[in-house]
């Protein structure tokens, strides 16, 4: 199958490489000349415009976007709205908000263009291990691209599937990432407790390796944690600043809208926000209040 790929950053380029290994052809577009040149070294056919990319694809065409969520996706959809033809398929494999996905699908459907939202997990390891893909959209359009999904997945019958109509893929990936927040926070807190028990002199990497086999808390995240502790046991040089790309916030907001309690995911998000405040006014005020009502000492900063 011949596929168009928009966005040849690290993840897009890796996905293109996996497709090429599976015998598919990839015509790639990226605004960055450097990204196009780099992808060409792996067998991607790079082009300098959307028009040239589309001209190189057989009809009905399939185009996969791997661009940052938000305005870049909107801009790409707007550009392709006038260039694609009825029965073409446009895929958003990024972490878009599912509500935006619904709006984009409606716009494209007016011209008979199929829009698939593919929540994609696997990160930098997906090239070798395969990607987990939660697919939303028209069932017939999904089936048409089955060879693509089977190649990108860990196995043809594992790690991917159509989860529902358009929007369902990004909604499922949103919740997936919310769960990820909670799991990561639990591991971080647990290892912090272990590290603070200084009289035992615990080797955190050793403990992580023990837990990786036979333990009920074993997971791929624990495997990655063990790898990080092996390379840098004391995490020297790493700032205590944890970013978020939006999915956790969207998950919490959706939980509130649906009246579903999600305290673990919510608290994990709050902890990420807290990590960014290295001069917390709230903590200073807490110390001041303790001093006011109980005379507790204040540590000078």
């Amino acid at each position: 199958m011949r596929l168009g790929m928009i966005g040849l950053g690290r993840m897009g380029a890796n996905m293109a490489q996996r497709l090429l290994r599976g015998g598919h052809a990839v015509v790639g577009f990226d605004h960055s000349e450097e990204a196009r040149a780099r992808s060409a070294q792996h067998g991607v056919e790079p082009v300098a415009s959307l028009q040239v990319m589309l001209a190189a694809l057989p009809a009905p065409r399939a185009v996969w976007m791997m661009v940052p969520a938000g305005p870049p996706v909107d801009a790409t959809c707007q550009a392709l709205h006038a260039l694609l033809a009825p029965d073409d398929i446009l895929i958003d494999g990024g972490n878009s908000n599912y509500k935006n996905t619904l709006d984009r699908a409606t716009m494209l459907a007016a011209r008979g263009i199929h829009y698939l939202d593919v929540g994609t997990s696997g990160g930098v390891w997906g090239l070798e291990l395969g990607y987990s893909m939660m697919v939303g959209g028209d069932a017939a359009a999904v089936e048409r691209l089955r060879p693509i999904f089977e190649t990108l997945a860990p196995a043809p019958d594992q790690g991917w599937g159509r989860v529902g109509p358009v929007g369902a893929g990004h909604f499922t990936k949103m919740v997936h990432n919310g769960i990820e927040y909670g799991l990561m926070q639990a591991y971080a807190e647990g290892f912090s407790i272990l590290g603070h028990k200084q009289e035992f002199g615990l080797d955190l990497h050793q403990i992580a390796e023990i837990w990786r086999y036979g333990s009920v808390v074993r997971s791929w995240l624990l495997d990655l944690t063990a790898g990080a502790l092996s390379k840098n046991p004391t995490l020297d040089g790493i700032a205590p600043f944890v970013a978020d790309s939006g999915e956790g916030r969207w998950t919490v907001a959706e939980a509130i809208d649906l009246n579903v309690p999600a305290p673990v995911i919510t608290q994990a998000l709050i902890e990420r926000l807290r990590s960014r405040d290295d001069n917390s006014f709230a903590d200073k005020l807490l110390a001041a209040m303790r001093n006011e009502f109980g005379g507790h000492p204040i540590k000078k900063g």
Side-chain angles (χ1 to χ4, degrees):
M1 182 173 287
R2 194 170 175 82
L3 180 78
M5 177 72 73
I6 301 174
L8 297 171
R10 188 171 187 181
M11 189 154 177
N14 282 355
M15 295 179 78
Q17 286 185 58
R18 189 169 176 89
L19 288 169
L20 290 163
R21 292 179 185 179
H24 302 283
V26 179
V27 182
F29 168 73
D30 195 291
H31 289 291
S32 167
E33 184 176 348
E34 180 184 353
R36 297 198 302 270
R38 188 170 55 245
S39 67
Q41 297 175 1
H42 298 287
V44 174
E45 181 183 333
V47 294
S49 72
L50 293 176
Q51 291 87 340
V52 175
M53 182 192 69
L54 294 175
L57 299 175
R61 296 165 293 191
V63 177
W64 192 303
M65 294 187 295
M66 288 302 294
V67 299
V73 178
D74 284 325
T76 306
C77 286
Q78 288 288 350
L80 290 171
H81 181 263
L83 298 174
L84 292 173
D87 212 28
D88 286 345
I89 301 174
L90 179 58
I91 307 108
D92 179 3
N95 285 324
S96 291
N97 188 304
Y98 81 96
K99 295 178 181 178
N100 295 333
T101 296
L102 293 173
D103 292 338
R104 294 163 186 151
T106 299
M107 174 189 72
L108 293 164
R111 294 200 61 241
I113 301 164
H114 303 288
Y115 196 60
L116 303 184
D117 53 304
V118 181
T120 307
S121 181
V124 298
W125 297 88
L127 173 58
E128 300 300 332
L129 303 180
Y131 298 91
S132 173
M133 292 168 291
M134 299 136 264
V135 186
D138 176 71
V142 174
E143 187 62 27
R144 195 198 307 173
L145 296 187
R146 174 176 287 274
I148 296 295
F149 297 128
E150 290 181 343
T151 300
L152 289 172
D157 60 345
Q158 293 179 349
W160 80 277
R162 178 181 180 268
V163 297
V166 67
H170 282 153
F171 182 84
T172 304
K173 179 57 161 49
M174 175 191 75
V175 176
H176 163 284
N177 282 25
I179 293 170
E180 182 181 297
Y181 278 41
L183 292 172
M184 292 173 68
Q185 185 67 31
Y187 281 127
E189 291 176 7
F191 279 100
S192 180
I193 294 169
L194 293 170
H196 278 78
K197 194 65 172 175
Q198 295 181 358
E199 62 264 39
F200 285 164
L202 299 172
D203 183 332
L204 301 189
H205 174 240
Q206 178 201 28
I207 293 169
E209 289 293 344
I210 292 171
W211 287 354
R212 288 180 63 204
Y213 303 97
S215 166
V216 296
V217 299
R218 65 188 184 275
S219 72
W220 188 48
L221 276 175
L222 181 59
D223 295 342
L224 298 176
T225 300
L229 290 171
S230 173
K231 290 179 281 190
N232 189 355
T234 58
L235 305 182
D236 291 337
I238 300 177
F241 180 102
V242 187
D244 76 282
S245 52
E247 295 87 349
R249 299 176 187 229
W250 303 340
T251 303
V252 171
E254 198 69 28
I256 292 170
D257 287 346
L258 295 171
N259 293 318
V260 175
V264 172
I265 295 173
T266 302
Q267 188 57 38
L269 172 63
I270 297 302
E271 288 301 318
R272 291 197 180 198
L273 301 180
R274 182 180 177 83
S275 77
R276 302 166 205 175
D277 191 353
D278 58 2
N279 188 30
S280 173
F281 180 83
D283 288 345
K284 292 179 181 180
L285 187 56
L286 285 172
M289 285 189 282
R290 293 184 76 248
N291 177 260
E292 289 294 325
F293 68 68
H296 302 290
I298 295 176
K299 183 178 180 180
K300 299 298 182 180

